[in-house]
Amino acid sequence: MNNQAPTGEITGSNLISVIGSISLEDHDEMTNCTRLATTSANLIATRFGQPKEWFDEYMKTLHYLGWRAIDDSYTITTHHDVSGSIGDFLVASSDTGRDPQQANAMIDTLDSLQNNTAATLYLDTETGLGKKFQVIPSRYDARGNLHIAVNSLELISEVRKGGFLFWNWQQQSAKLVQKRAYLKLNRQVFETMREQMESELRKITMQRFALRKSRS
């Protein structure tokens, strides 16, 4: 039995990446929050046809479960021309993020995903080949608080490619619309939701793919 939390996870349209290490319990609870948020959003709006309404409900659910926005960060929206792979973009954008370890964590997560055919096919299907997906780095702060950055991404392109994260997009052939929110878990609120969460989770059949570091 492996008691170590994986370095990342795929579930629904969520790609989770772990910066440093977190406990297996916290990893599972964080992942379950994203599964509940995804399920709730799917009931309110169509992910591809109503991306704003879908993501608003996703964020409301996370807030309900105890995740609190830092610095009103949910308002950040940026547009990017993609040249190269989306995976390369995710690593490069991590270098300018708040945590210098984030890029290495993203490399490990993407390496593991690229070597996992079932997880890659599943992510392609769940996201409409990148049409709408979330990338979620997670970490502890110096006080042991659990943080996540929710990056909502929409790939705009005339073509769709399998393994969209690793496809070499030509300059100006694809754009990414990105919304980003930094959240911290309020454990007091989370604990009050635990019983309800466990009840709702029993109704969810969403698959999970653990991603473990594959490079030395």
Side-chain angles (χ1 to χ4, degrees):
M1 181 176 177
N2 193 332
N3 292 319
Q4 286 289 108
T7 57
E9 185 130 356
I10 298 288
T11 185
S13 57
N14 307 288
L15 170 59
I16 297 167
S17 176
V18 177
I19 303 168
S21 61
I22 63 176
S23 73
L24 183 59
E25 180 181 12
D26 277 349
H27 176 89
D28 284 344
E29 290 176 344
M30 171 191 61
T31 301
N32 284 334
C33 285
T34 68
R35 297 170 76 216
L36 288 168
T38 302
T39 300
S40 179
N42 286 343
L43 292 173
I44 296 298
T46 60
R47 188 183 310 160
F48 306 134
Q50 300 168 293
K52 182 184 184 301
E53 293 83 356
W54 190 93
F55 190 62
D56 284 347
E57 180 63 23
Y58 185 98
M59 294 300 293
K60 285 178 186 176
T61 304
L62 288 179
H63 185 271
Y64 181 71
L65 296 174
W67 295 92
R68 296 295 181 260
I70 301 170
D71 302 331
D72 296 321
S73 59
Y74 173 40
T75 58
I76 298 173
T77 303
T78 52
H79 298 253
H80 308 275
D81 289 324
V82 180
S83 181
S85 74
I86 295 174
D88 288 343
F89 166 81
L90 294 174
V91 173
S93 62
S94 298
D95 282 331
T96 58
R98 295 186 173 192
D99 193 315
Q101 294 181 319
Q102 187 174 330
N104 287 336
M106 185 58 63
I107 290 170
D108 288 338
T109 301
L110 292 169
D111 280 354
S112 180
L113 175 60
Q114 195 166 19
N115 291 322
N116 189 325
T117 301
T120 299
L121 289 173
Y122 173 79
L123 185 65
D124 282 348
T125 301
E126 288 293 313
T127 65
L129 298 176
K131 192 172 182 179
K132 179 75 176 71
F133 62 106
Q134 293 72 242
V135 176
I136 307 176
S138 59
R139 65 177 178 86
Y140 290 133
D141 66 16
R143 296 184 177 181
N145 297 305
L146 186 58
H147 290 239
I148 59 176
V150 180
N151 297 280
S152 171
L153 294 155
E154 296 174 50
L155 175 62
I156 300 171
S157 175
E158 292 183 359
V159 297
R160 294 288 160 190
K161 296 290 184 181
F164 70 94
L165 283 176
F166 309 108
W167 181 262
N168 186 22
W169 298 91
Q170 299 300 313
Q171 191 169 11
Q172 298 182 341
S173 71
K175 295 182 183 294
L176 278 176
V177 178
Q178 179 181 30
K179 294 183 179 69
R180 177 180 290 170
Y182 296 98
L183 309 177
K184 180 172 72 173
L185 182 62
N186 182 317
R187 292 185 185 271
Q188 275 189 309
V189 176
F190 178 81
E191 287 302 324
T192 67
M193 303 303 301
R194 186 181 292 279
E195 186 174 343
Q196 183 180 347
M197 282 181 59
E198 290 175 354
S199 175
E200 292 300 318
L201 284 166
R202 285 193 286 270
K203 305 173 187 176
I204 296 175
T205 58
M206 191 181 302
Q207 288 184 265
R208 295 177 58 175
F209 293 84
L211 304 174
R212 299 188 181 277
K213 186 175 178 180
S214 57
R215 66 189 184 97
S216 57

